[in-house]
Amino acid sequence: MKKIMLVDDEILIRENIRECIDWEKEGFLYCGDAPDGELALPIIEAQLPDILITDIKMPFMNGLELTSVVRQKFPQIKIIILSGHDDFQYAQQALRLGVEDYCLKPFSAADLLQLLRSVSARIDEELRIRHKYAYTPENLFADLCGGLISTAAAYEAAAQLELQLTAPYYAAAIFTLHPPNMEESPELPPASPDAEALLAGLLKEAADSFIYKRSRMEMVLIYKGSDPLRMNHTLDDLCAAAKKRLREGCGLELSVSRGKVCERLQGIHLSYLEAENDRMFKQMSRMHSAAMLEAYYDPSAHGVLLDRSRLVQFLKSGDHRQMTGFLLELSKELEQMNWDSGYACYLMNDITLELVQTAKNGFRAAAGHAGILQELQTQLKQISSSNDGLQYLKQLYERLWEWRSEGADKHRELIDRVKQYIREQYDKEQLSLNDISKVVRVSPSHLSKTFSQATGQTITEFLTATRMDRAKELLKSTGHKTFEIAYLVGYNDQHYFSNLFKKVTGMTPMEFRRQGNTGEQLHTIRRGAGHA
C-alpha cells in the first residue's frame, strides 16, 4: 500500500482527510500529518511516504519551501499541492518545482481519492518500467515475502513470467532440513543435492503453490486457495508426507514453520513474518531440548488476539507505577488461553521477539545484549498458566526498561528537562518541538533524535501520553464535560480529543468515565498480579 502523509495548518482539514477516508480499504496507508512544513520534515524523514499532500499557505515553513526541500532530499516522494483559487499562481510555481499535481479547495474525499489513485498509478508504472526485465520467479517470491513489491507491480511481474498469482487467500511456510540429532550437532551439514531435489519435487506437487530456495537447507512455500480450512488441511498432509519421505530417503528431518492464512496479496508478507518467527523459536528451542517444538495454532485459543501496538507502546512509555493496571488488562485476555496448547507457547514467544526487537531498534544500550533471546528461552519453557505469563512479562518489561534507562543516562539532564517542561506546559495547544528546542537550547532535529533514542518514544508520543493520563484523572475525579477536559489538557477541538482518546485507550471519554474502578476489577488486579 502507498504511504500517504498530510501537511496542513487547519486542524479540521487534517481531521476530515484522516477520518473520512477508509485508507486501508482504498489501498493506502495514512502514515501521519503535521501543521506546518517545519514539523513535517522529521516525520517525512522517519516515514518516507510515497505521496505527500501539502497546503501552500502555512506558518513557519510554507508548502513551496517544504516542496523544495523534499524534492532535493527525497526525490522519489510524489507531492500533491492543496491550494485555493486565490493561490493558483503559487500552484503553478509548485508545478515548476516538480510536484505531481494540485487539488483546489474546497474538495471532496472522492476528488482527493481520484487524484491519489492517479498518482499511485504513475508510481506503479515507474516501478513496472524499472522492474520490467529484472524479475525472475525466485526474485518475485522473495520480494513478496519481504514486503518489497507493491500489489500492482507484483501482478505485472507475474504476468510477464506467466505466473497466476490471483487468489482470495495466501499463506507462507518455511521448510528447513536438518540432521536427526540437531542438539548434538547444531551446525548444518553440507547441502545434499538429493535431499534438496526430493524436497523441491514434493513441494512442487502441491497445487496452487510456488516455491523458492531461501538458503542451502531452506525452501519457502507460498500457497494460495479459496478456502482457508482446506488450505491448512492440504498443507498438513503435505508436511506429513514430506517429513516421512525425507526421513526414509535421505535420513534428514524436516521442520516446517507456518504463517496464518491471509487475505490479499500483501498478506503473503505478514504470513511469512509469522513463519519466520516460528522458525526462529524452533531453532532456539532445539538448543535446549531434544524434543522438536511444534508450535502450531490451537483452534480453541483463536479468540486470544493481543493488541501488539499496546504492548509495544507500554515498552516505550510505561513505567513501574502503571504495571498493576497493565497486568490487569493482560490478565483478562491471558486467562482465556489454553496453557496446555502449543499456541500459548507460540504467542508468548512471538510477543517476546517483537518486544526485544523493538528495544534493539529503539534503545541504544540494547547493542550489548545480543544473547538475550537464548537466555529467555529457559524462562519461556516454565510458563504454564496466565499468572506465570504475567510474571514473565513483568520481568521482561523491567529488563528492557533497564536498557531504556541505560541509553537515557548520557542525556539524562536534557531528557528530564524536556519531560518536566512538557508536564508543565502540556495544556498549551500550540506546544511544538520548536518551542521545546528553544527552551533546552538544542536544534529541533537533534532534540527529536536524542529523545527518541534515549526513551524509545517520540516527543509527540510523550506529550500525547501526558495529556491522556491527565484526561483520565480528570474524567475519574471531576464532573467536567468532555469539551472542558479537552481544553484543560491542550485540545481546543473536542472531536479531535475524543477521537485521539479512543485511539489511545480503546474507549470514548464517556465510556471511560462510566467504567470506573469496580470492586471486581480491584480483586482481579490483586489476583492477576499475585506473583508480580
Side-chain angles (χ1 to χ4, degrees):
M1 292 189 290
K2 306 296 189 307
K3 295 169 70 174
I4 309 297
M5 181 176 167
L6 171 66
V7 187
D8 196 300
D9 61 327
E10 295 185 48
I11 187 172
L12 289 179
I13 290 180
R14 297 201 306 274
E15 276 191 13
N16 286 335
I17 292 177
R18 183 195 314 123
E19 303 296 337
C20 292
I21 297 175
D22 188 339
W23 293 99
E24 186 173 350
K25 180 180 178 181
E26 298 296 340
F28 296 103
L29 176 64
Y30 191 90
C31 66
D33 51 54
D36 64 71
E38 183 182 12
L39 295 181
L41 280 174
I43 304 175
I44 294 171
E45 185 173 354
Q47 294 291 335
L48 291 178
D50 298 290
I51 303 174
L52 174 67
I53 307 169
T54 179
D55 191 18
I56 284 185
K57 289 187 175 180
M58 297 181 295
F60 304 111
M61 178 186 286
N62 64 39
L64 294 180
E65 294 169 326
L66 177 62
T67 295
S68 179
V69 173
V70 171
R71 292 297 299 158
Q72 292 178 20
K73 294 187 67 176
F74 311 105
Q76 77 279 11
I77 296 177
K78 306 300 182 185
I79 303 173
I80 296 174
I81 286 286
L82 302 179
S83 71
H85 288 281
D86 295 339
D87 306 324
F88 185 67
Q89 61 178 345
Y90 295 108
Q92 290 179 311
Q93 184 179 345
L95 289 171
R96 288 194 292 270
L97 285 172
V99 303
E100 286 298 306
D101 219 321
Y102 65 91
C103 189
L104 286 176
K105 298 180 180 179
F107 54 87
S108 67
D111 294 333
L112 181 60
L113 275 173
Q114 183 178 359
L115 187 54
L116 287 172
R117 292 191 187 107
S118 174
V119 176
S120 177
R122 292 175 213 166
I123 295 174
D124 289 339
E125 177 63 16
E126 290 177 5
L127 285 173
R128 186 190 70 79
I129 294 172
R130 190 157 55 244
H131 294 297
K132 185 173 182 180
Y133 303 105
Y135 271 108
T136 64
E138 289 211 344
N139 289 340
L140 173 60
F141 302 145
D143 278 3
L144 280 169
C145 288
L148 302 175
I149 183 172
S150 69
T151 299
Y155 281 133
E156 177 69 22
Q160 293 173 6
L161 295 168
E162 299 182 352
L163 299 171
Q164 179 53 258
L165 279 183
T166 307
Y169 298 97
Y170 304 86
I174 302 172
F175 291 73
T176 306
L177 292 165
H178 58 83
N181 296 315
M182 192 69 171
E183 305 80 21
E184 299 174 8
S185 177
E187 293 297 323
L188 289 174
S192 166
D194 291 340
E196 291 179 26
L198 178 57
L199 177 57
L202 291 168
L203 297 183
K204 285 177 181 177
E205 292 176 5
D208 293 326
S209 63
F210 309 101
I211 65 169
Y212 79 92
K213 184 178 178 182
R214 193 175 83 156
S215 68
R216 61 193 178 95
M217 298 293 276
E218 291 179 327
M219 291 187 186
V220 176
L221 177 74
I222 300 171
Y223 58 110
K224 58 191 181 77
S226 57
D227 184 340
L229 187 60
R230 184 178 300 173
M231 290 169 65
N232 280 324
H233 286 327
T234 300
L235 186 60
D236 288 340
D237 295 340
L238 174 63
C239 292
K243 288 180 180 181
K244 182 179 179 182
R245 291 281 300 278
L246 285 159
R247 189 181 300 118
E248 294 174 350
C250 306
L252 292 177
E253 294 295 327
L254 179 67
S255 175
V256 184
S257 303
R258 299 161 61 168
K260 68 181 178 182
V261 177
C262 297
E263 295 181 286
R264 300 179 181 271
L265 193 68
Q266 295 299 325
I268 292 174
H269 175 52
L270 300 176
S271 183
Y272 175 80
L273 289 178
E274 287 196 348
E276 175 61 10
N277 281 346
D278 189 23
R279 185 198 67 83
M280 290 176 61
F281 183 43
K282 290 175 180 178
Q283 185 180 50
M284 289 184 288
S285 296
R286 282 195 294 268
M287 299 177 185
H288 300 283
S289 171
M292 289 290 293
L293 176 63
E294 296 291 351
Y296 294 134
Y297 284 106
D298 174 4
S300 67
H302 275 177
V304 182
L305 295 172
L306 298 181
D307 183 351
R308 304 302 176 85
S309 62
R310 177 165 57 94
L311 298 174
V312 170
Q313 187 58 39
F314 190 65
L315 172 64
K316 292 180 176 180
S317 60
D319 57 38
H320 294 84
R321 295 170 299 175
Q322 301 166 311
M323 182 64 78
T324 299
F326 182 70
L327 292 177
L328 165 64
E329 295 176 5
L330 285 182
S331 67
K332 294 177 180 178
E333 299 171 77
L334 296 184
E335 284 172 359
Q336 303 173 35
M337 191 179 300
N338 177 7
W339 288 90
D340 294 325
S341 71
Y343 175 78
C345 189
Y346 174 93
L347 180 63
M348 295 303 293
N349 171 75
D350 202 37
I351 291 170
T352 299
L353 289 171
E354 184 153 2
L355 292 178
V356 170
Q357 190 60 46
T358 298
K360 286 186 174 181
N361 291 338
F363 306 151
R364 182 176 298 178
H369 298 270
I372 185 173
L373 285 175
Q374 293 184 22
E375 178 185 331
L376 291 171
Q377 294 307 302
T378 302
Q379 299 177 40
L380 279 169
K381 292 177 183 179
Q382 307 302 317
I383 299 175
S384 59
S385 68
S386 60
N387 279 337
D388 290 344
L390 290 172
Q391 173 69 5
Y392 168 80
L393 288 173
K394 177 179 181 292
Q395 294 174 350
L396 177 61
Y397 274 108
E398 290 176 342
R399 176 76 175 274
L400 300 182
W401 282 340
E402 289 177 5
W403 298 2
R404 191 177 70 184
S405 297
E406 290 172 20
D409 283 343
K410 181 178 179 181
H411 303 285
R412 173 65 64 187
E413 183 180 351
L414 173 64
I415 300 304
D416 287 346
R417 287 171 61 200
V418 170
K419 288 184 175 181
Q420 184 60 32
Y421 183 74
I422 290 175
R423 291 187 184 109
E424 294 171 353
Q425 304 293 326
Y426 69 87
D427 57 337
K428 306 296 190 296
E429 185 192 20
Q430 299 301 324
L431 184 62
S432 68
L433 175 64
N434 198 48
D435 296 329
I436 301 170
S437 67
K438 289 178 180 177
V439 171
V440 297
R441 298 183 179 180
V442 297
S443 71
S445 59
H446 177 71
L447 175 59
S448 178
K449 183 177 181 180
T450 299
F451 191 93
S452 297
Q453 287 182 340
T455 66
Q457 63 180 154
T458 65
I459 289 179
T460 300
E461 288 173 340
F462 180 80
L463 172 60
T464 300
T466 301
R467 286 172 166 171
M468 293 300 108
D469 286 344
R470 179 57 178 155
K472 291 177 188 177
E473 293 175 8
L474 292 171
L475 285 166
K476 287 183 177 181
S477 61
T478 74
H480 293 324
K481 298 182 182 299
T482 302
F483 76 87
E484 293 174 316
I485 292 176
Y487 178 77
L488 289 172
V489 299
Y491 299 104
N492 283 338
D493 189 312
Q494 175 188 340
H495 180 64
Y496 177 76
F497 164 73
S498 296
N499 284 338
L500 185 59
F501 188 91
K502 185 172 183 180
K503 182 178 179 182
V504 171
T505 67
M507 294 177 282
T508 66
M510 292 307 297
E511 289 171 341
F512 183 86
R513 171 172 274 165
R514 283 196 297 266
Q515 184 190 54
N517 281 327
T518 67
E520 180 182 353
Q521 287 174 322
L522 293 174
H523 173 71
T524 307
I525 290 176
R526 289 191 288 269
R527 177 164 53 83
H531 292 284

